[in-house]
Amino acid sequence: MPDRGRLTALVLGSAAGGGFPQWNCACRLCSLAWSGDPSVRPGTQASVGFSADGGAHWLIVGASPDLRQQILACPQLHPHLDRHGQRVSPIAAVAVVNADVDGIAGLIVLRERQRLTILGARPVLDILGANPVFDVLDPGVVERIALTPDEAFDVGHGLRLTLLPMPGKIPLYLEDRGAATAQAGPTYAALVEAHGRRAIFAPACAQITPDVHARLARADLLFFDGTLFTDDEMIAAGVGTKTGARMGHVAMSGPDGSLARLSDLPGRRIYVHINNTNPVHRVDSPERAAVEAAGFAVGHDGMEIVL
């Protein structure tokens, strides 16, 4: 049970879009996962929960398409009956930090007239509002609140949330698929504060600029974009035609990669949103060893951190 007087983070999903293994993929790493090889650990699509009151209430950041599966796997998120015999979920709010399918599709899972709040920047909420499928979340019980980036918002239950603008791209379903370069789009990191501690969830970041570095340095705990180890990884694996930069993700390796650029951050650093092609999935890989030698950890579903 989380500590009532401390900030608790729970990794609900650690993999990138499509999860690991990806449903239609038999690449080297996915094949290991399909076969149950112990050197790799399957993962659902990236999402992290935060609680500051001992798990009575949770803020979920990132509405993964796997959200129902993640709730099933995490007893901390299971519903209960209150003293009046009414059903109650500990999920009090969901924050959406981009409009990618793997960051918003899970909202549809929460359609059973449960009172909760959806939090996001206005550009992301406008994308939700333009798609009537999200109207299955009854506005009579599900409130949508637009947050101003860089301004802290009191979520309640001891949690404060600030959306931090990140370099990123528009969702694939909105972009010109033939474009050679990515169009900038609404992408944010979530800074969650409680009990004097700070955690940041940044599942997508296209470039680590000095401003980004300064923002991330505020964290006692950082969950960062671990999509690819090398920028051309999907091309080399024969499963894609785009670089990480084209997809809006900075690679782990290289002089401008996250291992080098974030090596001096003072807090704990954990990679999430890890693509099925990323060799760090394998616990005995040299890439995994390099990540751990640099002071980073590779996130996994069910990982819990108490600050």
Side-chain angles (χ1 to χ4, degrees), residues 217 219-222 265-269 295:
D220 300 296
L221 171 64
L222 171 64
L265 293 189
R268 185 171 178 183
R269 291 152 290 165

Side-chain angles (χ1 to χ4, degrees), residues 1-4 6-10 48-55 58 76 159 192 194-195 221 304-307:
M1 175 65 68
D3 191 318
R4 184 173 293 274
R6 302 172 71 179
L7 174 61
T8 298
L10 177 64
V48 176
F50 298 93
S51 178
D53 61 1
W58 289 88
Q76 301 94 321
L159 294 167
V192 180
H195 306 298
L221 171 64
E304 185 174 289
I305 300 96
V306 180
L307 298 177

